[in-house]
Amino acid sequence: MGAPRIERAPREGSRGAGVPAGARKPAGPGGWVAPTSATAARPRRRLPAPLWLLALAAVCAAAAAIPLVYLVVRTTEAGLGELLDTLLRPRVLQLTLNSVLLAAAVTASCLILGTLSALLLTRLRLPAGRALLIVAALPLAVPSYLAAYGWLVWMPSLNGFGAAWFVMTAVCTPYVTLPVAAALRGASGDLEMVARTLGRGPIRAFWAATWPQIRPAAIAGALLVSLYSLSDFGLVSMLRFQTLTWGINAAYGASFDRNQAALLALVLVVLALVVVAGERRSRGQVDRAGGRSTTPQRPAGRLLGPALAVLLVAPVAGILVPVLGLGNRLVEAATLRAIDVPRLLEAIGATLALALGAALITALVALPIAALAARYRGRLVAAIEAVGFLGHALPGIVVGLSLVFFALAAVPALYQTSAVLVFAYVVLFMPRAIGSMRSGIAAVPGSLTDVSRMLGYSPLATWFKVTARLALPGIGIGTLLVAISVMKELPATLLLRPTGVSTLATELWSRTAVFEFGAAAPYAAALVLLAAVPTVLLSGIRGVAKEQQ
C-alpha cells in the first residue's frame, strides 16, 4: 500500500518525457505551456493513488456530507404533500425572493466595484499602491454582523433591503478585488494593446482582450459573494430584512417546527448549489503563460481623486464607520457602566478554545483530501475532492440545523456538546483548509520525494521529512483561515453551542438583538482584536510561502 514506484510509468513533466519539469498541460488541445511560480511543481500523477490514502480521504470527505444527507432524509420524511404545501406558501416564496434579490444585487455591485478597484490598483500608478491594496482588503477582517452593528450605532433606524445591500456590498467587495487584481498582474496586455492600435477604445479593448483572461478570477470571487449573501444571518437579522436564513431561525426557534425549518433549509441549499453550478459553467478556463502583466501603469493624473474615491468606498463603509461606532460605544460602556470583565474573559476563552480545537481537527481531516488532490487525478479523486468542498455551498444555519436534527435522532448524548459544534465547524470550513493545503503540497517538487524514496525512506518518512516540511506554509495558512472563520461564525454557533457556553460572536449578537449597543461594544472590540492575531500570523506565513516559491 505504499507510494507508487517510479519505474512503473514515466511521470508527467519529467525530462525523460521531453517535457520541461513543472510544465502543465492546458485543458484544451495544444502544446505544453511554461511553468509559473504557482504551477512549478510536478502535476498530479496519472498513476493510481494508494488505496489507504483513497480510503482515508473518502472517510474524511464523507463527514462533510452528513448534514446534507440527513437534511434530505428529514425532508423526505415530511412527505411530498407537506413539501409542496410549504414551498407554495406566499411567505416562503417571499423569503426566497428576498434571498435571491439580495444575493443578485450584492453580487452584481461587488463584481462591478471589485473589478473596477482591481483595475485602478493595477493599471494606475497610485501613491502607496501596496498600502491601498491592503486597505482594500480590510473589510474581510470584519464579520458582516459587526459591520451592521457599527452602522446601527450611528443610524438606529437603518433597515430594509437597501441597508442590507449597501453594508453587504462593502463587506464582500474584497472577495472580487483581490483575485481580479492578482489575475490582472499575471495577464498579458499584448492583445489589449493590439486592439487599441486597431482603433478600439479602452473599454472595448479591455472587454475583448483582457476580460476573458481575468473572467475565471472574477467569477470565482462573485461565487464567494453570492454564497456569503445567501448564507448570511446576522446582518440581515440586525437590519431587519427577512430572508431564508431568518425564516429558518424563526421556524426553528419560535414554533420548533422542524419540518418547515428543514424544508426552508433545503431550499437554501438548492439555491447555493445552483449558484455553484452556474459558476462552474460560466467561468471557463484560460490558458496563458505566467508572468507579470505587460500593460504598463500610467500616472493617475486627474483620475487620482476619483480613483481614491472608488477604492475607499468599501473600506470606509465596511471598516471605518463600524469601527468608529464601536469606539464610541466602547467609551460609553467604559465610562457609564462597569464592563462585566469575568463574562468577557469567559467569552474570550470559549472563542479561543473552539477556534484552536476546530482549526486543528479541520486541518487533520482536510489533509488526506488535500494530499490526494494535489498528487493524483481521476474521477474518484475528483469526486472525493468535490464532496470535501461541499461545505462551501452549505450555509452555517443549514449545517447547524441539520446537526441538531442528526444529534437528536442518532446520538442524543452529544446534543448541545462541543463535539457537535466543532464538527459543524469542520464541515463548514474544511474547503478553506483543503484549498490552501492542496496548493502547498502541489508546490513541493516531485523530484525531492522521488529522491527520498530512492534513498530508502518509506512513504510515511518521506511525507514528514520532505513534503510536510516544504508544504508547512500552505498547511499553516489553511489552519489559520479556519481559526479566523470559527471566531466570526454566528448561526451554527447559536444553534449548537453547549448550554452556558457563549462566544464573543454570540454575546455580541444577544446584546445587539435587543439594541444594547453599549453593552455589546466590549465583545465586538475583543472579537476584532482577537481575529487580528491570526490575520497577522497569516500575513507572515504568506511571506514565507512566497520566499519559498
Side-chain angles (χ1 to χ4, degrees):
M1 299 301 176
R5 295 179 60 85
I6 306 170
E7 293 82 8
R8 291 176 57 188
R11 189 176 69 248
E12 287 183 7
S14 64
R15 298 187 184 277
V19 181
R24 62 181 177 87
K25 191 173 183 179
W32 293 84
V33 297
T36 65
S37 61
T39 60
R42 168 178 61 183
R44 290 183 287 182
R45 294 175 184 256
R46 291 186 183 276
L47 296 176
L51 291 180
W52 67 267
L53 182 58
L54 275 172
L56 182 59
V59 171
C60 293
I66 290 178
L68 180 58
V69 170
Y70 189 79
L71 182 64
V72 173
V73 172
R74 180 73 192 181
T75 53
T76 55
E77 291 177 353
L80 182 61
E82 184 176 350
L83 174 63
L84 294 177
D85 179 66
T86 301
L87 295 179
L88 295 178
R89 291 177 185 175
R91 185 62 178 161
V92 173
L93 294 176
Q94 184 63 50
L95 293 176
T96 304
L97 181 62
N98 287 350
S99 297
V100 172
L101 287 178
L102 180 62
V106 173
T107 302
S109 56
C110 287
L111 187 59
I112 295 172
L113 182 59
T115 302
L116 182 57
S117 299
L119 277 171
L120 295 174
L121 287 168
T122 56
R123 296 295 177 83
L124 292 183
R125 195 175 301 122
L126 299 170
R130 291 188 177 182
L132 284 175
L133 180 60
I134 294 175
V135 170
L138 283 178
L140 291 180
V142 175
S144 59
Y145 54 86
L146 187 56
Y149 161 80
W151 276 93
L152 286 172
V153 167
W154 300 111
M155 302 173 64
S157 61
L158 194 66
N159 64 82
F161 173 83
W165 165 79
F166 175 74
V167 180
M168 189 83 75
T169 298
V171 172
C172 294
T173 294
Y175 284 120
V176 177
T177 302
L178 297 181
V180 172
L184 282 169
R185 287 192 177 92
S188 172
D190 295 340
L191 293 178
E192 186 174 344
M193 289 188 285
V194 170
R196 293 297 305 274
T197 60
L198 294 176
R200 294 198 177 187
I203 297 178
R204 293 183 60 194
F206 169 81
W207 185 257
T210 304
W211 172 251
Q213 299 182 73
I214 66 173
R215 183 182 61 195
I219 296 180
L223 168 68
L224 294 178
V225 174
S226 298
L227 294 177
Y228 193 98
S229 304
L230 284 173
S231 63
D232 182 82
F233 168 72
L235 182 146
V236 294
S237 298
M238 287 185 179
L239 297 178
R240 297 183 291 283
F241 182 68
Q242 297 178 0
T243 61
L244 280 171
T245 55
W246 179 90
I248 294 169
N249 184 70
Y252 173 77
S255 60
F256 208 74
D257 188 346
R258 295 183 178 182
N259 287 340
Q260 183 176 351
L263 292 174
L264 290 177
L266 189 60
V267 172
L268 189 57
V269 169
V270 170
L271 290 178
L273 292 176
V274 168
V275 170
V276 173
E279 184 268 343
R280 288 181 177 271
R281 184 177 181 84
S282 62
R283 66 184 172 188
Q285 291 185 354
V286 178
D287 297 319
R288 54 182 172 83
R292 297 188 64 84
S293 173
T294 56
T295 303
Q297 288 185 325
R298 61 189 184 92
R302 296 180 179 179
L303 295 177
L304 179 59
L308 291 177
V310 171
L311 291 172
L312 294 178
V313 166
V316 168
I319 287 285
L320 184 60
V321 173
V323 168
L324 290 177
L326 171 61
N328 180 54
R329 289 300 186 184
L330 190 60
V331 171
E332 291 183 4
T335 55
L336 299 180
R337 62 178 66 86
I339 298 176
D340 191 347
V341 176
R343 191 173 182 85
L344 176 62
L345 293 177
E346 183 180 348
I348 292 175
T351 302
L352 280 175
L354 289 171
L356 292 176
L360 292 176
I361 295 175
T362 304
L364 292 175
V365 174
L367 198 53
I369 303 174
L372 181 69
R375 291 303 193 198
Y376 302 95
R377 65 174 64 182
R379 292 184 178 179
L380 182 57
V381 173
I384 292 174
E385 185 182 12
V387 174
F389 272 92
L390 191 60
H392 195 53
L394 295 178
I397 195 168
V398 172
V399 172
L401 186 65
S402 301
L403 291 180
V404 166
F405 295 158
F406 178 77
L408 288 174
V411 280
L414 294 181
Y415 176 62
Q416 284 194 323
T417 63
S418 298
V420 177
L421 179 57
V422 169
F423 181 72
Y425 293 146
V426 172
V427 173
L428 285 170
F429 306 125
M430 189 193 303
R432 306 187 185 191
I434 292 175
S436 297
M437 293 179 179
R438 180 187 57 194
S439 300
I441 296 172
V444 177
S447 58
L448 296 181
T449 59
D450 294 341
V451 169
S452 176
R453 293 301 310 281
M454 286 188 291
L455 290 176
Y457 288 100
S458 66
L460 190 62
T462 298
W463 164 259
F464 282 107
K465 290 180 177 294
V466 179
T467 306
R469 288 187 178 183
L470 295 179
L472 190 59
I475 296 173
I477 288 173
T479 305
L480 286 176
L481 283 174
V482 174
I484 296 172
S485 302
V486 170
M487 289 181 187
K488 300 188 297 182
E489 208 287 327
L490 177 63
T493 309
L494 286 173
L495 289 172
L496 297 172
R497 59 178 172 156
T499 303
V501 174
S502 297
T503 65
L504 291 171
T506 60
E507 289 285 356
L508 172 61
W509 164 257
S510 63
R511 282 159 175 75
T512 53
V514 292
F515 298 97
E516 294 181 357
F517 296 131
Y523 300 96
L527 180 60
V528 171
L529 294 176
L530 208 60
V533 175
T535 303
V536 172
L537 294 175
L538 189 62
S539 301
I541 292 179
R542 278 179 172 159
V544 172
K546 289 180 180 179
E547 291 176 1
Q548 290 186 355
Q549 291 179 352

